[in-house]
Amino acid sequence: MVRAAVMAGQFYPLAANSLEREVSELCVGVKTKKEAIGLLLPHAGYMYSGRVAGLTASTVNLKDIFVIIGPNHTGIGEPFSLDIEEVWQTPLGKIEINSALAEELLKKCPSLKKDTQAHRYEHSVEVELPFLQYLKSDKNFSFVPIVIGGGKLEIYKEIGKGISEAIKELKLIDQVQIIASSDMTHYEEAKVAQEKDALAISALLKLDPDLLYKTVKEKDISMCGYIPAIIMLEAARNLGAKKAELIKYENSGDTTGDYSSVVGYAGAIIS
């Protein structure tokens, strides 16, 4: 089966030439690429978060396999869902799911369940794909999509550890990158959003999933993908990550000019 690009024409252009042109404008030419085990990328409409996502992805020496973890906005399907049965399509072409890694993830992460429905109308993974397709000029890569609902911190960390163990088991450490898809604070005044987001980003840059969880909960930060970020951090640390770097932070007011109620967007790399 082929999963159609359900967000094409909404979050990004429907026509392939228009999409490639827009992504090319968002992906800045970076001469010296950085190595990364994990990335944090936003997932809003490209007019809002595309500059952050494009610059962050452009900064990295992209690998050939991606584990992309996003939050479940729809509430449909399993709370810890991995799609293994489909080829995903965007206007820029089709992308194969890496079935070998997907199957190993299911073995190492018992909380993850095979589930297509949770992915059917979810945007948080899909919107990252055109950036990867554009930047990987040969389009020769595969991925594993995961979307996460609610749960407990212990489960998030178990999944992160399981992801790292699956990558090690298949000897793919040099071939895989883990992408956490998340926007930051939602619908607060820009100054408040920036202050809250700075706290969450600080925890992320310390490579501390426990601190990120505590900060989001105690400071009431509406970071929709904090769970994917926790999972990515736990996996990256187990794969040897030692540092993190914030590449860019913006909010929707930088596009609309309205700073009274914004959504924040952060791009970071873990290496």
Side-chain angles (χ1 to χ4, degrees), residues 35-253:
E35 296 300 322
I37 297 170
L39 297 85
L40 177 74
L41 297 178
H43 57 232
Y46 286 8
M47 68 178 292
Y48 299 108
S49 67
R51 289 186 299 273
V52 175
L55 176 60
T56 305
S58 299
T59 301
V60 172
N61 181 21
L62 296 174
K63 298 183 181 179
D64 294 330
I65 306 171
F66 301 94
V67 177
I68 307 180
I69 312 163
N72 186 333
H73 293 89
T74 69
I76 298 170
E78 294 284 345
F80 304 100
S81 167
L82 184 153
D83 187 12
I84 194 171
E85 298 178 352
E86 298 184 298
V87 172
W88 285 40
Q89 184 165 23
T90 81
L92 299 183
K94 295 178 180 178
I95 310 165
E96 298 279 348
I97 289 178
N98 191 300
S99 57
L101 179 55
E103 291 288 2
E104 192 64 30
L105 289 172
L106 290 169
K107 293 177 186 177
K108 300 294 187 184
C109 307
S111 296
L112 290 180
K113 305 300 180 185
K114 291 182 184 180
D115 179 33
T116 294
Q117 290 306 311
H119 297 261
R120 183 70 65 199
Y121 304 107
E122 175 56 53
H123 68 274
S124 60
V125 172
E126 178 187 325
V127 297
E128 312 297 4
L129 296 175
F131 290 102
L132 304 179
Q133 287 175 301
Y134 175 77
L135 290 167
K136 295 281 290 182
S137 56
D138 59 3
K139 296 182 174 54
N140 184 25
F141 68 91
S142 60
F143 81 118
V144 179
I146 298 172
V147 294
I148 303 292
K152 297 181 179 180
L153 176 61
E154 291 76 17
I155 297 177
Y156 311 152
K157 294 178 71 174
E158 286 174 5
I159 294 173
K161 182 180 179 182
I163 290 172
S164 66
E165 289 177 348
I167 292 170
K168 290 176 182 177
E169 179 70 23
L170 296 180
K171 297 179 172 57
L172 295 174
I173 292 177
D174 295 328
Q175 299 176 52
V176 178
Q177 282 166 328
I178 305 160
I179 297 174
S181 177
S182 180
D183 294 337
M184 302 300 290
T185 291
H186 288 64
Y187 309 122
E188 298 202 48
E189 191 272 330
K191 185 174 184 296
V192 174
Q194 290 167 357
E195 291 172 350
K196 286 187 172 184
D197 289 345
L199 296 173
I201 291 167
S202 175
L204 182 90
L205 297 182
K206 291 175 182 175
L207 302 182
D208 192 333
D210 297 86
L211 180 59
L212 178 57
Y213 180 85
K214 179 181 179 182
T215 300
V216 167
K217 294 298 184 182
E218 290 185 353
K219 302 300 181 181
D220 191 27
I221 302 173
S222 51
M223 176 184 179
C224 60
Y226 77 94
I227 301 172
I230 287 170
I231 293 171
M232 180 271 289
L233 282 177
E234 186 69 17
R237 295 200 317 170
N238 287 327
L239 291 170
K242 301 297 184 185
K243 61 181 181 179
E245 178 182 356
L246 177 67
I247 302 300
K248 191 174 182 64
Y249 176 84
E250 286 189 356
N251 63 60
S252 57

